[in-house]
Amino acid sequence: MTEAAPERTARVVLVDDHRMFRTGVRAEIGRTEATGIDVVGEADDVESAVRVVAETRPDVVLLDVHLPGGGGVEVLRRSAGVMGEQGGVKFLALSVSDAAEDVIGVIRGGARGYVTKTITGTDLVNAIFRIGDGDAVFSPRLAGFVLDAFAATDTPPVDEDLDRLTQREREVLRLIARGYAYKEIAKQLFISVKTVESHVSAVLRKLQLSNRHELTRWATARRLV
């Protein structure tokens, strides 16, 4: 029996710095005749993301949080114009990270939702259409971070120490604090062990810490683990 064509379509841009992941997402949801999702562009860093979004004006952008050039928050900041238009572009964060600071950061930046990369293809398609309709979509438990953040009457204090770190350094910091070995971190982040060591050295230097045990205590005290 012939599969029924979708009742509507959504034009989508994929933004992620891992080409294999983008290829997998496109293969999973980009069959327009079956899912209604038309992937009209891809990008792997902040500069290319801002350019592709401006050129294609998609309905929804699937946005990774950690990107070369400043991360997803920077893409949102520089895309404020296309978000603010009538029927403007909407952003859905799609990330491996489930850290509260990442979730809150992109939502404050203008994203309409945040889902983790454990999401199924079917659920991702549904999330895209819901975001396109103006709904907010979150993976289980992540919505609580946003509700807590926006329910607070006081603006959270700026953490100047944390702000010294790049997005990638924060990512390495969090994994170190969770007890991952350098080799495990390298595999998870698709970087070399030597690069991990360089990031750890930079973090220790910027935070004026001596070793990974002090680093773990520092991260735990700030609820980054």
Side-chain angles (χ1 to χ4, degrees), residues 15 42-55 63 67-72 74-79:
V15 180
E42 296 184 17
D44 60 3
D45 60 13
V46 169
E47 289 296 332
S48 60
V50 172
R51 183 178 66 253
V52 170
V53 169
E55 289 174 353
L63 179 67
L67 293 167
E74 180 66 10
V75 175
L76 290 163
R77 185 186 70 80
R78 293 176 56 182
S79 300

Side-chain angles (χ1 to χ4, degrees), residues 14 21 27 32 42 96 114 144:
L14 306 178
F21 179 76
T32 310
E42 296 184 17
V96 69
Y114 194 117

Side-chain angles (χ1 to χ4, degrees), residues 77-90:
R77 185 186 70 80
R78 293 176 56 182
S79 300
V82 295
M83 281 194 286
E85 296 172 348
Q86 181 70 26
V89 178
K90 297 178 176 65

